[in-house]
Amino acid sequence: MRIVIAEDDALLREGLALLLRAEDLDVVATAGTPGEFLTAVDEHAPDVAIVDVRMPPTHTDEGIVAAVEARRRRPGLAVLVLSAYVEQAFATELFSVGAVGLGYLLKERVGRVEEFLAALHRVADGGSVIDPEVVAQLLARNRRADTALAELSPREREVLGLMAEGLGNSAIAERLFVTDGAVHKHIRSIFAKLGLSPDDSADRRVTAVLRYLEGPGSPCCTRVRQSAGWLPPPRLNSVPGARNPDR
């Protein structure tokens, strides 16, 4: 796995590189600015990019803009975005064009090495990862705004949140101490309440997750779209879980 790190904090940047190299992962380049990051992507053709949300010069959305541009230049590039705290608008924008090979984690998650490495590998394998704290806040916000989501039971909302974190049915069952059959039943109910038909062309699992990630764009996110330009949505059926019966 070839990795490029884009982080303006030198201490965190080098710490990440040391951590990953200690795990026998190939960190081919590190960058402190968006320009350096994009140059590294062009020169080294990485498999994964780890990108800070806020980078120079304004420390607002430069990291998100650079991540989108990097995926435009190198289709299929997996991107794991790191943020110091929950920024719902950025998370929504990042996933609005699909969930394949994308992750959004809080920086505090890096300190939980096993969780961080698991998330990195999941994204590199084409999966999606959303920090549990981000999931909780997004779900709480959109539960109020979306009447269909409001109809979900507490257990169904819990299952949907774990789906958003990228967990498959068996992992959800293990986390909730229930059977796979119970998870299957909850997911079927979620699909029904959200009006997702088995005949839908899109993967219902991903559509359900993205349903509550959608929301009004902020001015900063509008600028992301205008300055970088979005790629067409990737094929949704490459997301983990797409081959299970709950589609």
Side-chain angles (χ1 to χ4, degrees), residues 1 13 17 21 25-26 29 33 35 37 45-46 55 65 93 113 119 126 128 135 148-149 151 156 162 187 193 227 231:
M1 184 193 306
R13 182 173 67 244
R21 285 167 177 152
L25 298 174
D26 187 11
T33 68
F37 164 59
M55 296 190 72
V65 171
E93 287 297 312
V113 177
S128 61
V135 169
L149 287 172
E151 293 180 2
E156 288 165 352
L162 293 174
I187 293 176
K193 290 180 179 179
S227 59
L231 289 172

mmCIF file of all heavy atoms in Angstrom, residues 1 13 17 21 25-26 29 33 35 37 45-46 55 65 93 113 119 126 128 135 148-149 151 156 162 187 193 227 231:
data_model
loop_
_atom_site.group_PDB
_atom_site.id
_atom_site.type_symbol
_atom_site.label_atom_id
_atom_site.label_comp_id
_atom_site.label_asym_id
_atom_site.label_seq_id
_atom_site.Cartn_x
_atom_site.Cartn_y
_atom_site.Cartn_z
ATOM 1 N N MET A 1 0.838 -1.193 0.000
ATOM 2 C CA MET A 1 0.000 0.000 0.000
ATOM 3 C C MET A 1 0.876 1.248 0.000
ATOM 4 O O MET A 1 1.660 1.463 0.908
ATOM 5 C CB MET A 1 -0.912 0.002 1.238
ATOM 6 C CG MET A 1 -1.894 1.176 1.286
ATOM 7 S SD MET A 1 -2.690 1.357 2.902
ATOM 8 C CE MET A 1 -3.364 -0.264 3.168
ATOM 9 N N ARG A 13 2.359 15.099 11.170
ATOM 10 C CA ARG A 13 2.709 14.534 9.861
ATOM 11 C C ARG A 13 3.798 13.474 9.999
ATOM 12 O O ARG A 13 3.671 12.356 9.490
ATOM 13 C CB ARG A 13 3.159 15.651 8.922
ATOM 14 C CG ARG A 13 3.493 15.185 7.515
ATOM 15 C CD ARG A 13 3.755 16.372 6.604
ATOM 16 N NE ARG A 13 4.957 17.110 6.933
ATOM 17 C CZ ARG A 13 4.976 18.382 7.347
ATOM 18 N NH1 ARG A 13 3.850 19.063 7.467
ATOM 19 N NH2 ARG A 13 6.118 18.985 7.621
ATOM 20 N N ALA A 17 3.695 9.265 9.745
ATOM 21 C CA ALA A 17 4.607 8.535 8.863
ATOM 22 C C ALA A 17 5.368 7.451 9.628
ATOM 23 O O ALA A 17 5.506 6.313 9.147
ATOM 24 C CB ALA A 17 5.586 9.511 8.208
ATOM 25 N N ARG A 21 4.998 3.455 8.888
ATOM 26 C CA ARG A 21 6.191 2.708 8.492
ATOM 27 C C ARG A 21 6.504 1.590 9.477
ATOM 28 O O ARG A 21 7.015 0.536 9.091
ATOM 29 C CB ARG A 21 7.369 3.661 8.340
ATOM 30 C CG ARG A 21 7.290 4.501 7.064
ATOM 31 C CD ARG A 21 8.261 5.649 7.044
ATOM 32 N NE ARG A 21 8.176 6.374 5.770
ATOM 33 C CZ ARG A 21 8.466 7.672 5.628
ATOM 34 N NH1 ARG A 21 8.885 8.381 6.695
ATOM 35 N NH2 ARG A 21 8.358 8.248 4.453
ATOM 36 N N LEU A 25 4.045 -0.262 6.202
ATOM 37 C CA LEU A 25 3.316 0.391 5.128
ATOM 38 C C LEU A 25 4.249 1.381 4.437
ATOM 39 O O LEU A 25 5.109 1.987 5.075
ATOM 40 C CB LEU A 25 2.068 1.096 5.670
ATOM 41 C CG LEU A 25 1.035 0.162 6.313
ATOM 42 C CD1 LEU A 25 -0.097 0.960 6.943
ATOM 43 C CD2 LEU A 25 0.485 -0.824 5.292
ATOM 44 N N ASP A 26 4.043 1.570 3.159
ATOM 45 C CA ASP A 26 4.964 2.363 2.338
ATOM 46 C C ASP A 26 4.488 3.811 2.225
ATOM 47 O O ASP A 26 3.627 4.131 1.403
ATOM 48 C CB ASP A 26 5.067 1.731 0.949
ATOM 49 C CG ASP A 26 6.126 2.393 0.085
ATOM 50 O OD1 ASP A 26 6.918 3.192 0.614
ATOM 51 O OD2 ASP A 26 6.159 2.097 -1.127
ATOM 52 N N ALA A 29 5.475 9.704 0.399
ATOM 53 C CA ALA A 29 5.703 11.147 0.457
ATOM 54 C C ALA A 29 4.843 11.758 1.561
ATOM 55 O O ALA A 29 3.789 11.225 1.919
ATOM 56 C CB ALA A 29 5.367 11.810 -0.885
ATOM 57 N N THR A 33 1.449 21.315 2.403
ATOM 58 C CA THR A 33 0.526 22.242 1.748
ATOM 59 C C THR A 33 -0.265 21.480 0.684
ATOM 60 O O THR A 33 0.177 20.424 0.211
ATOM 61 C CB THR A 33 1.279 23.399 1.065
ATOM 62 O OG1 THR A 33 2.034 22.878 -0.043
ATOM 63 C CG2 THR A 33 2.211 24.117 2.039
ATOM 64 N N GLY A 35 -0.609 22.217 -2.440
ATOM 65 C CA GLY A 35 0.184 22.141 -3.662
ATOM 66 C C GLY A 35 1.208 21.024 -3.611
ATOM 67 O O GLY A 35 1.383 20.271 -4.579
ATOM 68 N N PHE A 37 1.008 18.388 -1.798
ATOM 69 C CA PHE A 37 0.249 17.137 -1.794
ATOM 70 C C PHE A 37 -0.106 16.713 -3.214
ATOM 71 O O PHE A 37 0.110 15.554 -3.605
ATOM 72 C CB PHE A 37 -1.015 17.307 -0.947
ATOM 73 C CG PHE A 37 -2.055 16.244 -1.162
ATOM 74 C CD1 PHE A 37 -1.773 14.907 -0.935
ATOM 75 C CD2 PHE A 37 -3.328 16.584 -1.598
ATOM 76 C CE1 PHE A 37 -2.733 13.925 -1.134
ATOM 77 C CE2 PHE A 37 -4.301 15.620 -1.800
ATOM 78 C CZ PHE A 37 -4.005 14.272 -1.571
ATOM 79 N N ALA A 45 1.936 8.389 -7.545
ATOM 80 C CA ALA A 45 0.791 7.518 -7.831
ATOM 81 C C ALA A 45 0.421 6.646 -6.631
ATOM 82 O O ALA A 45 0.467 5.412 -6.705
ATOM 83 C CB ALA A 45 1.078 6.649 -9.053
ATOM 84 N N PRO A 46 0.052 7.257 -5.505
ATOM 85 C CA PRO A 46 -0.251 6.468 -4.302
ATOM 86 C C PRO A 46 -1.568 5.708 -4.423
ATOM 87 O O PRO A 46 -2.403 6.019 -5.281
ATOM 88 C CB PRO A 46 -0.337 7.543 -3.213
ATOM 89 C CG PRO A 46 -0.828 8.757 -3.943
ATOM 90 C CD PRO A 46 -0.145 8.702 -5.283
ATOM 91 N N MET A 55 -6.018 23.140 5.807
ATOM 92 C CA MET A 55 -4.626 23.311 5.425
ATOM 93 C C MET A 55 -4.384 24.751 4.968
ATOM 94 O O MET A 55 -5.336 25.511 4.760
ATOM 95 C CB MET A 55 -4.261 22.318 4.310
ATOM 96 C CG MET A 55 -4.346 20.850 4.733
ATOM 97 S SD MET A 55 -3.631 19.729 3.514
ATOM 98 C CE MET A 55 -1.878 20.082 3.711
ATOM 99 N N VAL A 65 -10.784 20.373 -0.714
ATOM 100 C CA VAL A 65 -10.611 20.746 -2.127
ATOM 101 C C VAL A 65 -9.481 19.936 -2.753
ATOM 102 O O VAL A 65 -9.609 19.399 -3.859
ATOM 103 C CB VAL A 65 -10.330 22.259 -2.258
ATOM 104 C CG1 VAL A 65 -9.943 22.613 -3.694
ATOM 105 C CG2 VAL A 65 -11.540 23.076 -1.835
ATOM 106 N N GLU A 93 -20.257 16.828 2.286
ATOM 107 C CA GLU A 93 -19.759 17.110 0.939
ATOM 108 C C GLU A 93 -18.821 16.015 0.446
ATOM 109 O O GLU A 93 -18.878 15.610 -0.708
ATOM 110 C CB GLU A 93 -19.036 18.459 0.919
ATOM 111 C CG GLU A 93 -19.961 19.652 1.000
ATOM 112 C CD GLU A 93 -20.900 19.731 -0.188
ATOM 113 O OE1 GLU A 93 -20.426 19.595 -1.327
ATOM 114 O OE2 GLU A 93 -22.092 19.911 0.028
ATOM 115 N N VAL A 113 -4.609 3.152 17.785
ATOM 116 C CA VAL A 113 -3.865 2.680 16.618
ATOM 117 C C VAL A 113 -4.593 1.572 15.863
ATOM 118 O O VAL A 113 -4.682 1.605 14.631
ATOM 119 C CB VAL A 113 -2.449 2.222 17.025
ATOM 120 C CG1 VAL A 113 -1.706 1.656 15.823
ATOM 121 C CG2 VAL A 113 -1.678 3.393 17.633
ATOM 122 N N ALA A 119 -9.374 1.283 9.881
ATOM 123 C CA ALA A 119 -10.073 2.235 9.008
ATOM 124 C C ALA A 119 -9.273 2.486 7.733
ATOM 125 O O ALA A 119 -9.828 2.541 6.633
ATOM 126 C CB ALA A 119 -10.310 3.546 9.751
ATOM 127 N N GLY A 126 -11.475 -0.075 -0.747
ATOM 128 C CA GLY A 126 -12.660 0.416 -1.445
ATOM 129 C C GLY A 126 -13.869 0.624 -0.571
ATOM 130 O O GLY A 126 -14.968 0.908 -1.063
ATOM 131 N N SER A 128 -15.900 2.348 2.968
ATOM 132 C CA SER A 128 -16.125 3.687 3.496
ATOM 133 C C SER A 128 -16.063 3.640 5.008
ATOM 134 O O SER A 128 -16.466 2.658 5.634
ATOM 135 C CB SER A 128 -17.490 4.227 3.054
ATOM 136 O OG SER A 128 -18.533 3.394 3.530
ATOM 137 N N VAL A 135 -20.948 10.201 12.834
ATOM 138 C CA VAL A 135 -22.196 9.482 12.565
ATOM 139 C C VAL A 135 -23.274 9.896 13.563
ATOM 140 O O VAL A 135 -24.414 10.181 13.189
ATOM 141 C CB VAL A 135 -21.965 7.956 12.627
ATOM 142 C CG1 VAL A 135 -23.297 7.208 12.627
ATOM 143 C CG2 VAL A 135 -21.108 7.501 11.463
ATOM 144 N N ALA A 148 -38.798 10.515 7.264
ATOM 145 C CA ALA A 148 -38.610 9.074 7.077
ATOM 146 C C ALA A 148 -37.610 8.532 8.089
ATOM 147 O O ALA A 148 -37.825 7.479 8.702
ATOM 148 C CB ALA A 148 -38.146 8.784 5.653
ATOM 149 N N LEU A 149 -36.500 9.241 8.277
ATOM 150 C CA LEU A 149 -35.525 8.813 9.273
ATOM 151 C C LEU A 149 -36.121 8.850 10.675
ATOM 152 O O LEU A 149 -35.777 8.031 11.525
ATOM 153 C CB LEU A 149 -34.276 9.700 9.205
ATOM 154 C CG LEU A 149 -33.350 9.484 8.015
ATOM 155 C CD1 LEU A 149 -32.275 10.558 7.981
ATOM 156 C CD2 LEU A 149 -32.714 8.109 8.054
ATOM 157 N N GLU A 151 -38.905 7.956 11.531
ATOM 158 C CA GLU A 151 -39.734 6.774 11.760
ATOM 159 C C GLU A 151 -38.908 5.556 12.171
ATOM 160 O O GLU A 151 -39.474 4.547 12.603
ATOM 161 C CB GLU A 151 -40.530 6.444 10.489
ATOM 162 C CG GLU A 151 -41.582 7.491 10.135
ATOM 163 C CD GLU A 151 -42.329 7.120 8.865
ATOM 164 O OE1 GLU A 151 -42.036 6.032 8.313
ATOM 165 O OE2 GLU A 151 -43.171 7.904 8.436
ATOM 166 N N GLU A 156 -32.960 0.555 14.940
ATOM 167 C CA GLU A 156 -32.715 0.730 13.512
ATOM 168 C C GLU A 156 -31.756 1.882 13.265
ATOM 169 O O GLU A 156 -30.893 1.798 12.388
ATOM 170 C CB GLU A 156 -34.038 0.949 12.782
ATOM 171 C CG GLU A 156 -34.889 -0.305 12.697
ATOM 172 C CD GLU A 156 -36.332 -0.039 12.312
ATOM 173 O OE1 GLU A 156 -36.731 1.151 12.244
ATOM 174 O OE2 GLU A 156 -37.068 -1.014 12.094
ATOM 175 N N LEU A 162 -24.041 2.129 12.378
ATOM 176 C CA LEU A 162 -22.935 1.181 12.198
ATOM 177 C C LEU A 162 -22.703 0.874 10.729
ATOM 178 O O LEU A 162 -21.563 0.651 10.303
ATOM 179 C CB LEU A 162 -23.229 -0.095 12.983
ATOM 180 C CG LEU A 162 -23.239 0.078 14.513
ATOM 181 C CD1 LEU A 162 -23.694 -1.201 15.194
ATOM 182 C CD2 LEU A 162 -21.874 0.502 15.018
ATOM 183 N N ILE A 187 -32.246 -4.243 8.886
ATOM 184 C CA ILE A 187 -31.865 -3.566 7.645
ATOM 185 C C ILE A 187 -33.019 -3.586 6.651
ATOM 186 O O ILE A 187 -33.283 -2.586 5.967
ATOM 187 C CB ILE A 187 -30.597 -4.209 7.053
ATOM 188 C CG1 ILE A 187 -29.401 -3.948 7.970
ATOM 189 C CG2 ILE A 187 -30.313 -3.654 5.652
ATOM 190 C CD1 ILE A 187 -28.117 -4.620 7.532
ATOM 191 N N LYS A 193 -38.739 1.576 5.393
ATOM 192 C CA LYS A 193 -39.142 2.881 5.922
ATOM 193 C C LYS A 193 -38.564 4.033 5.116
ATOM 194 O O LYS A 193 -39.161 5.117 5.064
ATOM 195 C CB LYS A 193 -38.736 2.994 7.394
ATOM 196 C CG LYS A 193 -39.548 2.089 8.315
ATOM 197 C CD LYS A 193 -39.124 2.221 9.769
ATOM 198 C CE LYS A 193 -39.969 1.315 10.659
ATOM 199 N NZ LYS A 193 -39.576 1.405 12.087
ATOM 200 N N SER A 227 -14.623 25.061 -7.013
ATOM 201 C CA SER A 227 -13.187 25.141 -7.284
ATOM 202 C C SER A 227 -12.589 23.826 -7.732
ATOM 203 O O SER A 227 -11.574 23.815 -8.430
ATOM 204 C CB SER A 227 -12.448 25.631 -6.027
ATOM 205 O OG SER A 227 -12.691 24.753 -4.953
ATOM 206 N N LEU A 231 -16.428 14.442 -9.413
ATOM 207 C CA LEU A 231 -16.432 13.294 -10.308
ATOM 208 C C LEU A 231 -17.827 12.673 -10.327
ATOM 209 O O LEU A 231 -18.578 12.811 -9.380
ATOM 210 C CB LEU A 231 -15.453 12.226 -9.788
ATOM 211 C CG LEU A 231 -13.966 12.555 -9.910
ATOM 212 C CD1 LEU A 231 -13.162 11.486 -9.179
ATOM 213 C CD2 LEU A 231 -13.551 12.600 -11.359
#
